[in-house]
Amino acid sequence: MRLYHGTNVDFQQIDINLCKPNKDFGRGFYLTDIESQAQAMAVRRTRLVGEGSPVVLSYEFDEKLLTNGKLKVFRFDKPNREWALFILNNRMASETGYQHDYDVVIGPVADDGVVFQLNLFMNHAISEEQLVGQLTYRKLNRQYFFGTEFAISQLHRI
């Protein structure tokens, strides 16, 4: 399968230590199977950082590794309670020390609307039931998280 990473600078080696913490699925390397989503992320990243230019990096990945037991994989097919709480735990990891041990996590991207709902929940403005209700019917793009050196070594730059 082909996966894409949108950024503001080209690079050859993926260094997990340079990845930002407290992201949806934790500190790791994020990709998508939607090239236009990666392009939009590259533009956003370039604007946010204020330097570089939008770049989309392409990788090949053997899809069989997701099911043959060589990688520990966690998959969310759609937004649900477990997904929302997993994201919440990862986004608060610096404060709580939370860390999962998955090589790869696949699931919906928590866009600005999702982050808004998560913040309402964290501030006790909505209940967990209301949070899940707000997220259940959202159509969100999929992201692929690679969180270990072994998982990252399975990505081959094109």
Side-chain angles (χ1 to χ4, degrees):
M1 76 186 312
R2 186 163 291 179
L3 297 171
Y4 306 95
H5 177 78
T7 186
N8 65 313
V9 62
D10 194 356
F11 55 86
Q12 295 301 315
Q13 295 286 355
I14 301 167
D15 184 348
I16 200 164
N17 296 311
L18 297 176
C19 298
K20 294 194 183 319
N22 306 325
K23 302 294 247 176
D24 289 356
F25 299 151
R27 172 177 273 178
F29 190 65
Y30 286 79
L31 304 106
T32 178
D33 55 355
I34 305 167
E35 189 172 9
S36 61
Q37 180 182 330
Q39 182 62 42
M41 179 50 92
V43 169
R44 182 177 180 199
R45 177 83 180 141
T46 302
R47 283 188 193 138
L48 187 67
V49 174
E51 61 185 40
S53 58
V55 178
V56 174
L57 307 177
S58 300
Y59 296 87
E60 282 293 326
F61 175 72
D62 184 354
E63 213 169 344
K64 288 181 256 174
L65 291 169
L66 298 174
T67 56
N68 69 7
K70 291 186 178 180
L71 293 171
K72 187 171 181 183
V73 179
F74 196 18
R75 182 187 301 260
F76 298 99
D77 293 323
K78 61 184 179 181
N80 59 28
R81 177 186 185 277
E82 186 178 24
W83 171 80
L85 295 177
F86 187 74
I87 288 173
L88 194 58
N89 284 330
N90 284 300
R91 286 184 170 239
M92 297 186 65
S94 291
E95 299 164 31
T96 64
Y98 177 80
Q99 185 174 346
H100 64 76
D101 64 347
Y102 295 103
D103 296 301
V104 176
V105 179
I106 305 165
V109 175
D111 64 11
D112 291 342
V114 171
V115 172
F116 177 74
Q117 295 298 323
L118 288 171
N119 284 333
L120 288 175
F121 174 71
M122 288 187 324
N123 291 318
H124 308 288
I126 62 173
S127 67
E128 185 178 307
E129 183 178 296
Q130 289 170 312
L131 171 64
V132 172
Q134 290 292 324
L135 300 178
T136 302
Y137 299 105
R138 294 186 63 91
K139 170 105 172 72
L140 301 168
N141 289 335
R142 186 172 39 240
Q143 61 187 336
Y144 291 75
F145 160 91
F146 285 69
T148 63
E149 293 293 341
F150 179 67
I152 288 171
S153 75
Q154 303 307 305
L155 292 168
H156 304 286
R157 175 94 184 260
I158 301 173

